[in-house]
Amino acid sequence: MAFRPEELALDTPPVIFEDASHSSGNTHTTPTKATWRPLYRHECAFGPPVFDSVMDNLIRNPNINSTWLFRADILHDAQDGPANPATPADEADSLAFVADIPSFVGFELQRHVIRKLIPRNTLRDKPLDQTCLIYKSNPGGEAVERTLVIYLPHVSTPSDMPFYHPVVKGIAFVHEWTPAESCGSISLSYLFFDEQDRTVDKLIRTAFQLLMVIHKHGKGRVQGYQKRVHHDVLLPQARVQDTYTKLKQKHARSLIKGWAEQTDPEKHIFEDICIAAFMIELWRDMYGEGPFPGFVDVGCGNGLLVHILNQEGFSGWGFDARSRTSWASYSTRVRSLSGEEQDSLRELVLLPTYVSRGGSGDGFDEQKAHDGVFPKGTFIISNHADELTPWTPILAAVSDCPFISIPCCSHDLSGKLFRASPPKDKTKADSTYSSFVGWVSEIAAECGWEVEQEMLRIPSTRNAAIVGRKRTGDISSVDVPALVHKYGGTAGYFDAVVRLMKQPPSTHEHEASDTGPSVGKKSKGKKPKQKQHKAG
């Protein structure tokens, strides 16, 4: 069923009627005998349980309807009634304005929610408190079951409404369902500040979109849609987003102004600020007020993530096969826990000790290679590090270091492009990216890591984070050479390192900064043939 709603005429009778004699609360928002004007109606094939589930999800996640919003913080959620007057002191200001709780003819109030809508940019838009009311039709054997959901923003005048919310006093969603025929409808009504607003195009378009989202999600539930991507598994959404907002307000403007690379500054800067926010909150959970052990970013690219974390007081360094133009601005001197000072960004190629050095070593410079062994406890970051990604959990286990790996392009342990076998977990997608993430996770598990995964809220489709901070066994029980062989071996890795060292720096100085180190030569134009490993 395609979404083609019926646009209701201006003189269409209301589908809901307030019972003014039973309204409770103050009189700031809803006048006596308020008229709710219907705008759109559409048939639907989903019943009350599906509608209830969809609306609960939309109440908790307003960002589904508006990209201007981060989330909703639920301030109050109760059955049958207004907010508890014994509100904690820290929420008193948020609940000072409690909207009227209207009664509607033929409905009984079932649930009362107060949420705070949190915008992405709090310098431009203010948060908004909003009451959400869920009603059910009065029991009595009627042939049609009706559910009513009301949104009431806590504002008194149109000028108080933030940009991301329709300039109306209230929004009503009505679901009607006939069990005997297994069919129903959904409709949307507005409570206008001014009746002349009924013809405002922006409000009409918004109503269309709001109803379309409900129809889409309800239809998906009926067709068996199951969400595969789950955010906020390791850390609460609010904590990470609040830290992101602080970092963005503190750093974004100056970073964009001083951007030295050829790539899109906003995409890369906001992505790395998102990752930095996640790292900071993860480390707060891991280390609390204790000493921070330091971090290393393998394949640090333009060095921006290292720079932001150092600016926020987390000492660490990064390395890449070639320096970037940005390093002149981002590189500083940092001090390790042992007291040693070093540059925060260094030009090195990763050459793990488990890589065979067979073949010609002509042109190899030991001083430009790092063996991947780090001080115990150092937190290893591998952000879109390409060829270094599958090595990350192995080196972390050998060095007894926690890690995070955010995979991007699919490379095996030899540094070559390949496609991993589809994930063993059949609830996962069988895409190249999902397969690669599953393959790296298998390596991590065999290295004795308790593998955790988070889908980061970053502006990238390559947003899976594999985290190893707890161990299921000692590394001494892992035969690392056998594991490396099982997952494809390292044939060709050393020769690629030598070729890379021979290449003049000028060919890499201005490359895109988020591709990680280039162990092998990147192809241009023709897509390289990928091999597929069956092991693992």
Side-chain angles (χ1 to χ4, degrees), residues 5-252:
E6 175 189 1
E7 185 172 359
L8 303 176
L10 295 176
D11 58 354
T12 300
V15 296
I16 55 173
F17 299 89
E18 284 196 33
D19 185 352
S21 63
H22 290 87
S23 294
S24 61
N26 60 41
T27 58
H28 287 293
T29 59
T30 308
T32 304
K33 297 182 180 179
T35 301
W36 293 79
R37 297 296 184 187
L39 279 80
Y40 286 106
R41 179 183 179 278
H42 198 285
E43 295 180 353
C44 70
F46 50 88
V50 171
F51 178 77
D52 293 347
S53 176
V54 168
M55 294 307 299
D56 180 74
N57 187 47
L58 293 176
I59 288 172
R60 296 183 181 279
N61 299 283
N63 49 292
I64 294 174
N65 273 319
S66 174
T67 57
W68 297 96
L69 294 172
F70 255 153
R71 66 179 188 275
D73 290 343
I74 303 300
L75 306 180
H76 172 82
D77 189 351
Q79 307 291 325
D80 307 318
N84 188 339
T87 303
D90 60 347
E91 295 182 7
D93 291 340
S94 299
L95 301 181
F97 187 120
V98 179
D100 274 341
I101 302 178
S103 294
F104 291 87
V105 176
F107 289 94
E108 291 183 359
L109 180 64
Q110 301 291 316
R111 185 180 172 199
H112 176 201
V113 178
I114 298 178
R115 63 178 180 175
K116 182 182 291 293
L117 302 177
I118 307 297
R120 289 182 177 274
N121 189 343
T122 55
L123 296 179
R124 180 186 57 214
D125 299 309
K126 293 182 179 180
L128 172 68
D129 289 354
Q130 185 187 67
T131 293
C132 304
L133 305 169
I134 295 89
Y135 303 78
K136 292 289 184 180
S137 57
N138 295 326
E142 291 89 349
V144 178
E145 299 176 14
R146 305 177 76 206
T147 304
L148 169 64
V149 178
I150 297 287
Y151 293 169
L152 297 173
H154 293 199
V155 298
S156 301
T157 64
S159 61
D160 294 332
M161 195 73 73
F163 173 79
Y164 54 80
H165 192 285
V167 185
V168 293
K169 290 183 178 181
I171 308 172
F173 307 92
V174 178
H175 177 262
E176 298 181 293
W177 183 252
T178 305
E181 300 176 6
S182 294
C183 65
S185 67
I186 50 175
S187 63
L188 182 145
S189 302
Y190 278 151
L191 178 60
F192 291 105
F193 280 102
D194 188 321
E195 284 295 319
Q196 299 301 315
D197 293 341
R198 176 64 177 81
T199 58
V200 175
D201 287 342
K202 182 178 178 181
L203 291 178
I204 296 173
R205 291 196 307 269
T206 300
F208 181 95
Q209 293 294 327
L210 292 174
L211 199 65
M212 182 178 68
V213 169
I214 295 173
H215 181 266
K216 174 185 174 181
H217 284 234
K219 180 180 176 182
R221 301 285 178 90
V222 171
Q223 293 176 344
Y225 169 79
Q226 292 185 342
K227 186 177 180 180
R228 286 181 170 178
V229 177
H230 297 279
H231 296 283
D232 316 311
V233 176
L234 303 186
L235 295 169
Q237 177 185 5
R239 276 176 50 192
V240 177
Q241 288 183 337
D242 288 347
T243 298
Y244 166 78
T245 299
K246 294 175 183 176
L247 295 180
K248 185 175 72 170
Q249 293 174 356
K250 181 177 180 180
H251 298 290

Side-chain angles (χ1 to χ4, degrees), residues 4 145 154 157 169-170 298 354 371 404 436 494 506 513:
R4 297 188 181 89
E145 299 176 14
H154 293 199
T157 64
K169 290 183 178 181
V298 300
Y354 300 100
D371 62 6
I404 183 171
F436 183 55
F494 179 70
S506 60
S513 52

Side-chain angles (χ1 to χ4, degrees), residues 304-317:
L304 177 57
L305 181 59
V306 173
H307 173 70
I308 295 171
L309 292 173
N310 280 333
Q311 289 289 303
E312 290 301 307
F314 296 90
S315 182
W317 66 289

Side-chain angles (χ1 to χ4, degrees), residues 187-456:
S187 63
L188 182 145
S189 302
Y190 278 151
L191 178 60
F192 291 105
F193 280 102
D194 188 321
E195 284 295 319
Q196 299 301 315
D197 293 341
R198 176 64 177 81
T199 58
V200 175
D201 287 342
K202 182 178 178 181
L203 291 178
I204 296 173
R205 291 196 307 269
T206 300
F208 181 95
Q209 293 294 327
L210 292 174
L211 199 65
M212 182 178 68
V213 169
I214 295 173
H215 181 266
K216 174 185 174 181
H217 284 234
K219 180 180 176 182
R221 301 285 178 90
V222 171
Q223 293 176 344
Y225 169 79
Q226 292 185 342
K227 186 177 180 180
R228 286 181 170 178
V229 177
H230 297 279
H231 296 283
D232 316 311
V233 176
L234 303 186
L235 295 169
Q237 177 185 5
R239 276 176 50 192
V240 177
Q241 288 183 337
D242 288 347
T243 298
Y244 166 78
T245 299
K246 294 175 183 176
L247 295 180
K248 185 175 72 170
Q249 293 174 356
K250 181 177 180 180
H251 298 290
R253 185 177 299 237
S254 61
L255 290 173
I256 292 174
K257 185 177 180 180
W259 188 249
E261 302 293 335
Q262 300 300 313
T263 48
D264 177 19
E266 293 193 8
K267 190 270 183 188
H268 293 285
I269 288 169
F270 291 143
E271 181 172 321
D272 279 359
I273 289 177
C274 285
I275 296 171
F278 181 84
M279 297 309 311
I280 290 170
E281 290 304 320
L282 183 70
W283 289 339
R284 282 177 178 161
D285 278 0
M286 293 178 63
Y287 307 115
E289 299 299 323
F292 179 66
F295 72 88
V296 59
D297 186 350
V298 300
C300 64
N302 58 29
L304 177 57
L305 181 59
V306 173
H307 173 70
I308 295 171
L309 292 173
N310 280 333
Q311 289 289 303
E312 290 301 307
F314 296 90
S315 182
W317 66 289
F319 66 90
D320 207 315
R322 287 287 184 258
S323 64
R324 303 296 201 272
T325 305
S326 300
W327 287 17
S329 301
Y330 298 158
S331 186
T332 59
R333 297 289 288 177
V334 293
R335 187 182 300 275
S336 66
L337 288 179
S338 63
E340 178 186 1
E341 271 201 359
Q342 64 179 18
D343 291 333
S344 63
L345 300 172
R346 300 167 64 186
E347 189 173 295
L348 293 168
V349 177
L350 182 70
L351 182 61
T353 56
Y354 300 100
V355 173
S356 171
R357 300 199 179 191
S360 174
D362 182 29
F364 176 72
D365 185 349
E366 193 75 48
Q367 298 300 314
K368 294 182 179 179
H370 195 289
D371 62 6
V373 178
F374 305 102
K376 181 179 179 179
T378 303
F379 196 99
I380 299 175
I381 299 173
S382 172
N383 173 27
H384 291 188
D386 289 355
E387 294 91 338
L388 309 191
T389 300
W391 281 104
T392 304
I394 299 174
L395 300 180
V398 172
S399 299
D400 197 7
C401 297
F403 75 92
I404 183 171
S405 177
I406 307 171
C408 185
C409 299
S410 182
H411 293 266
D412 63 12
L413 292 170
S414 72
K416 298 182 180 67
L417 285 167
F418 89 115
R419 175 164 183 146
S421 300
K424 293 179 180 178
D425 183 353
K426 298 309 177 184
T427 64
K428 304 288 186 181
D430 60 357
S431 66
T432 299
Y433 183 66
S434 179
S435 299
F436 183 55
V437 171
W439 184 73
V440 175
S441 298
E442 287 180 22
I443 293 176
E446 291 207 29
C447 287
W449 290 108
E450 180 180 317
V451 180
E452 300 175 284
Q453 187 169 322
E454 180 68 272
M455 302 304 290
L456 301 177

